[in-house]
Amino acid sequence: YNLGPALYRGKMEVFTNFPGDTSWMSGSSFYFHTYNLLGDPSLDVWTDIPDTFIVSHSTSIPVGTNSFSVEVENSSSQPVEDAMVSLYKNGEVKEVGFTNASGQATFNFFTSSHDTLFVTVTKHNFKPYCGYCLVNSSTVYVGHYDHSISDPTGNNNGEVNPGEAIEMQVTLKNYGTSTTATSVSAKLTTTDLLITITDSIQTYGNIAPGGTATGSAYDFDVSSNAKNSHIIKFNLYITTNQGNWNSSIWIDVKAPEFVYQRHQILDGNGVLEPGETSNMIVSIENTGSLIGNNTSGILRSLNPGVSVGDSIGFFGNIPVGDSSANSSNYFTVNASSSISPGHAVGFIVILSGADNFKDTVEFALVIGVVDQTKPLGRDLYGYFAYDDTDVGYSERPTYNWIEIDPELGGAGDSLSLGNDETKTINLPFSFKFYGDWYDRVSICSNGYIAMDSTWIADMYNWHILSAGGPPLLIAPFWDDLDPTATDSSGHVCYWYDVSNHKFIIEYSRVQHIHDPTNPTPAELQTFEVLLFDPQYYPTETGDGEILFQYKKITNDDVWHNYATVGIENREHTIGLEYTYANIYPDAAAPLANNRAIKFTTDPPDTFPGIEEHNQTSTSNSILEVYPNPFRQMINIKYQMQDARCTKQDISLKIYDVSGRLVRSFPIINLCNPNKSVVSVCWDGTDDIGRNVTQGVYFIKLESSSFKAIKKIILLK
């Protein structure tokens, strides 16, 4: 095992989890630089029994071949996505690529001599594959030798730019050693949706061994939607009397490419307040390969909470590497008076110019000024945190202590937790948390609970998000607590309030420990967690509500970053941190006696968020959309990677940003057992034919073996 990556991740965890101790003598800075001297972060660490690749590729190719394909499967003959494939031929070929969802990687290169082409495939938790292909001389072989680009009806710069009609002359060579290729012709094809070939077949006559021939130009049109660095992959099918061969031609599109830099609200405080109308400037930078001549932009709000008045802005000419803003031609925006301060609103600027290019930049603007009287959130799933100081919000909790400690007259049962101990018990109802349902909860002596079952009982509290702690964390006061530390220590107890459908876990007078290296009993902490039955307390997403209540607490553990308060999902990738290391977001009121904090997915206003709700990565499928953004119609193309297709096995659905189902497509149109590419069109209507509003939507293609999600933007 190599510890390099683990040490690298470890030092980053140290750096982010000790914001209060950054000293060079013994703090996070010291350990960060110490760990930086150890290990090699470029090497991988196996975290499972390594699988074995099944790799398919040609074992022999003629000199002159310029295309090569590698197919990668696992030991169960399933496609492997994102495997790194390397090709090496001494002095000539040095290529690296990654497999797609079908497990395929294709390459375009040049070979002019016989030798060995080495093929290497690697991926995390796989044994490396080392193979080779022989590049051999042949008596006759015709392939691509050279090509040239002209664009006389475009900007005439000899490059492929968006919106241009291209003439491409291709030179072929007979790489053979002894036989003349006769009656040579070649057909140009591509599967690229952005390219339309208008003249695809050319003839080349006869080509002697070692000779070349240049035909008339192939013609093709490039869509104005083509982006900078987009690779057009052409196939050239060459026919002769002596045989037929394939060559490839890959061409990069050169275009302006813009990135968002900043925005400015032109009012007194630079903040767009609820109910306010203001001018807006947006700054963009051209990071592409072509000047953006006469660049103009159209601003679109992706949220009905903010409308756009003047949507046109002019940016002028933007050379490569330069920036510009619409300083002389402002956008105008208006925020609804009912939108909540702290609400992040998404915008898109649709950019175009004199050379027929199209591009977009996206950014978010936070409405109003956030302070302790506003809710915290949302996180990337959709949770908010409301505390008892959030006046004016219906979700604001009221502190109302429910005593369940039997020693104090409560109706609860003691859990008898020892020091640094976690026990799992059954819940009296199913509880939905971060989109999944759970019937068990784990209770730790150190001031946190976790959905489902876990053995983790970490006395060291960590930052949210971090790798430390249990999955599915719910932390009312995560710190080093010990119910058995002294005779005065209390205990942890639980009780189901049947009539009010609440499950309560109370930490009653539990001893707070300072400095675990020299354990020092400190204050007795009393707080509780309430889980509300989702059937009786419905939320927008169906997730259960969580309430923290603090009867008597002291958050003073300087030795280890005070307490952690918040929630986190199973993968430690999404969470909402209320406080850590005695640091609070602007919307969070400091922990105090008689404080109440509620976590819920019910938002503070009726307007959608911009977060991608409940997303997963693409796996074993192909899902493509075009055009995106779109106005009237979007084409959805997909391909199943498993051969089966049943009505129960596949679904194609469209959701809005809140996770609400907008449109589902008939099953009969989705099945394609032959693994062919299937197209479905969406016209921006819901399941009963109503036009939906402009904004962000998510297309989800799902079966029992894969899930693929694409974000799309509908413009009006």
Side-chain angles (χ1 to χ4, degrees), residues 210-448:
T212 61
T214 302
S216 299
Y218 297 93
D219 298 332
F220 61 90
D221 297 331
V222 184
S223 168
S224 58
N225 290 305
K227 299 295 188 280
N228 183 60
S229 299
H230 175 75
I231 301 176
I232 308 168
K233 298 181 178 181
F234 291 106
N235 181 72
L236 199 63
Y237 182 64
I238 303 166
T239 61
T240 74
N241 290 333
Q242 288 69 38
N244 305 322
W245 302 280
N246 286 294
S247 278
S248 63
I249 302 174
W250 291 11
I251 301 174
D252 289 350
V253 175
K254 307 293 185 182
E257 181 176 358
F258 298 104
V259 296
Y260 163 80
Q261 289 187 312
R262 66 189 68 88
H263 67 268
Q264 182 180 1
I265 296 296
L266 302 178
D267 68 351
N269 64 354
V271 177
L272 184 65
E273 306 281 0
E276 182 180 21
T277 297
S278 178
N279 291 328
M280 176 195 287
I281 294 175
V282 177
S283 297
I284 57 176
E285 180 185 3
N286 184 0
T287 61
S289 306
L290 184 69
I291 184 173
N293 286 316
N294 295 322
T295 304
S296 62
I298 301 173
L299 180 69
R300 292 284 185 264
S301 169
L302 303 178
N303 191 310
V306 176
S307 60
V308 178
D310 187 345
S311 63
I312 306 298
F314 184 68
F315 296 87
N317 297 335
I318 312 178
V320 174
D322 278 2
S323 302
S324 182
N326 60 315
S327 303
S328 60
N329 188 203
Y330 304 142
F331 299 122
T332 303
V333 291
N334 171 258
S336 167
S337 59
S338 59
I339 193 168
S340 175
H343 197 128
V345 173
F347 289 88
I348 183 171
V349 182
I350 307 166
L351 299 161
S352 60
D355 293 325
N356 296 315
F357 67 84
K358 292 182 180 180
D359 199 9
T360 59
V361 295
E362 297 180 54
F363 64 96
L365 178 151
V366 177
I367 302 299
V369 177
V370 176
D371 57 29
Q372 292 181 11
T373 65
K374 307 300 188 297
L376 174 67
R378 69 178 63 187
D379 70 5
L380 289 177
Y381 177 80
Y383 276 105
F384 296 85
Y386 299 82
D387 62 52
D388 55 275
T389 69
D390 294 340
V391 295
Y393 293 92
S394 61
E395 297 294 335
R396 172 194 178 192
T398 300
Y399 175 80
N400 183 22
W401 182 260
I402 302 175
E403 185 57 69
I404 67 170
D405 186 345
E407 294 184 1
L408 300 176
D413 295 318
S414 175
L415 195 58
S416 300
L417 283 174
N419 185 34
D420 298 334
E421 184 178 10
T422 297
K423 289 184 178 180
T424 301
I425 62 174
N426 293 325
L427 286 170
F429 48 79
S430 293
F431 189 81
K432 188 178 181 183
F433 185 57
Y434 278 107
D436 291 317
W437 292 91
Y438 301 96
D439 297 316
R440 297 179 298 175
V441 63
S442 298
I443 304 172
C444 179
S445 60
N446 290 314
Y448 67 78

Side-chain angles (χ1 to χ4, degrees), residues 70-353:
V70 178
E71 184 172 322
V72 182
E73 297 178 337
N74 61 20
S75 58
S76 301
S77 299
Q78 298 298 314
V80 176
E81 187 177 6
D82 289 330
M84 185 170 71
V85 182
S86 301
L87 304 182
Y88 177 76
K89 181 174 178 285
N90 186 29
E92 201 167 54
V93 178
K94 192 176 183 181
E95 299 286 336
V96 176
F98 292 87
T99 54
N100 60 19
S102 302
Q104 294 180 338
T106 56
F107 298 89
N108 176 251
F109 50 80
F110 177 74
T111 58
S112 61
S113 61
H114 62 86
D115 204 339
T116 302
L117 178 69
F118 294 97
V119 182
T120 306
V121 183
T122 57
K123 189 179 181 181
H124 178 60
N125 285 340
F126 278 85
K127 296 179 182 178
Y129 166 85
C130 297
Y132 64 91
C133 172
L134 298 178
V135 183
N136 297 317
S137 299
S138 57
T139 58
V140 58
Y141 174 81
V142 178
H144 169 269
Y145 178 72
D146 196 8
H147 63 271
S148 61
I149 297 295
S150 61
D151 52 335
T153 61
N155 56 18
N156 205 28
N157 64 353
E159 297 176 344
V160 176
N161 304 135
E164 288 189 327
I166 301 297
E167 299 175 3
M168 179 173 69
Q169 279 196 307
V170 176
T171 300
L172 302 181
K173 180 177 180 178
N174 183 354
Y175 292 89
T177 58
S178 59
T179 303
T180 296
T182 58
S183 300
V184 179
S185 66
K187 181 177 182 180
L188 188 73
T189 61
T190 184
T191 60
D192 196 317
L193 295 174
L194 301 175
I195 304 300
T196 302
I197 299 176
T198 56
D199 189 351
S200 63
I201 299 176
Q202 302 299 336
T203 59
Y204 292 83
N206 301 333
I207 308 177
T212 61
T214 302
S216 299
Y218 297 93
D219 298 332
F220 61 90
D221 297 331
V222 184
S223 168
S224 58
N225 290 305
K227 299 295 188 280
N228 183 60
S229 299
H230 175 75
I231 301 176
I232 308 168
K233 298 181 178 181
F234 291 106
N235 181 72
L236 199 63
Y237 182 64
I238 303 166
T239 61
T240 74
N241 290 333
Q242 288 69 38
N244 305 322
W245 302 280
N246 286 294
S247 278
S248 63
I249 302 174
W250 291 11
I251 301 174
D252 289 350
V253 175
K254 307 293 185 182
E257 181 176 358
F258 298 104
V259 296
Y260 163 80
Q261 289 187 312
R262 66 189 68 88
H263 67 268
Q264 182 180 1
I265 296 296
L266 302 178
D267 68 351
N269 64 354
V271 177
L272 184 65
E273 306 281 0
E276 182 180 21
T277 297
S278 178
N279 291 328
M280 176 195 287
I281 294 175
V282 177
S283 297
I284 57 176
E285 180 185 3
N286 184 0
T287 61
S289 306
L290 184 69
I291 184 173
N293 286 316
N294 295 322
T295 304
S296 62
I298 301 173
L299 180 69
R300 292 284 185 264
S301 169
L302 303 178
N303 191 310
V306 176
S307 60
V308 178
D310 187 345
S311 63
I312 306 298
F314 184 68
F315 296 87
N317 297 335
I318 312 178
V320 174
D322 278 2
S323 302
S324 182
N326 60 315
S327 303
S328 60
N329 188 203
Y330 304 142
F331 299 122
T332 303
V333 291
N334 171 258
S336 167
S337 59
S338 59
I339 193 168
S340 175
H343 197 128
V345 173
F347 289 88
I348 183 171
V349 182
I350 307 166
L351 299 161
S352 60

Side-chain angles (χ1 to χ4, degrees), residues 563-704:
T564 298
V565 177
I567 60 175
E568 192 174 58
N569 72 345
R570 178 184 292 276
E571 295 80 15
H572 302 259
T573 56
I574 300 174
L576 194 59
E577 182 180 87
Y578 191 89
T579 184
Y580 173 74
N582 207 30
I583 300 171
Y584 292 85
D586 291 339
L591 295 182
N593 296 340
N594 303 328
R595 174 120 298 143
I597 306 170
K598 182 170 75 171
F599 293 85
T600 177
T601 54
D602 283 343
D605 56 36
T606 59
F607 301 107
I610 62 172
E611 293 80 7
E612 298 186 10
H613 180 75
N614 197 24
Q615 299 304 297
T616 59
S617 60
T618 304
S619 176
N620 292 335
S621 64
I622 295 175
L623 177 61
E624 297 178 350
V625 296
Y626 174 81
N628 189 23
F630 74 105
R631 293 185 182 276
Q632 296 178 332
M633 189 79 67
I634 189 167
N635 187 37
I636 306 166
K637 295 181 62 178
Y638 72 91
Q639 182 180 33
M640 300 270 297
Q641 293 307 304
D642 50 359
R644 64 183 181 173
C645 179
T646 68
K647 290 185 177 181
Q648 293 76 30
D649 191 52
I650 183 171
S651 66
L652 182 65
K653 298 179 179 180
I654 299 176
Y655 298 84
D656 65 16
V657 290
S658 70
R660 181 179 64 88
L661 178 63
V662 173
R663 179 72 177 269
S664 56
F665 290 88
I667 298 296
I668 191 171
N669 293 334
L670 304 180
C671 294
N672 69 85
N674 296 323
K675 297 199 295 184
S676 58
V677 176
V678 174
S679 293
V680 177
C681 291
W682 184 46
D683 60 358
T685 61
D686 63 14
D687 277 330
I688 61 175
R690 298 173 300 187
N691 290 322
V692 300
T693 60
Q694 73 172 9
V696 176
Y697 294 86
F698 300 98
I699 299 176
K700 181 165 74 171
L701 175 68
E702 185 174 20
S703 79
S704 61

Side-chain angles (χ1 to χ4, degrees), residues 2 4-5 8 39-45:
N2 169 58
Y8 178 77
D40 180 359
S42 67
L43 296 181
D44 198 13
V45 176

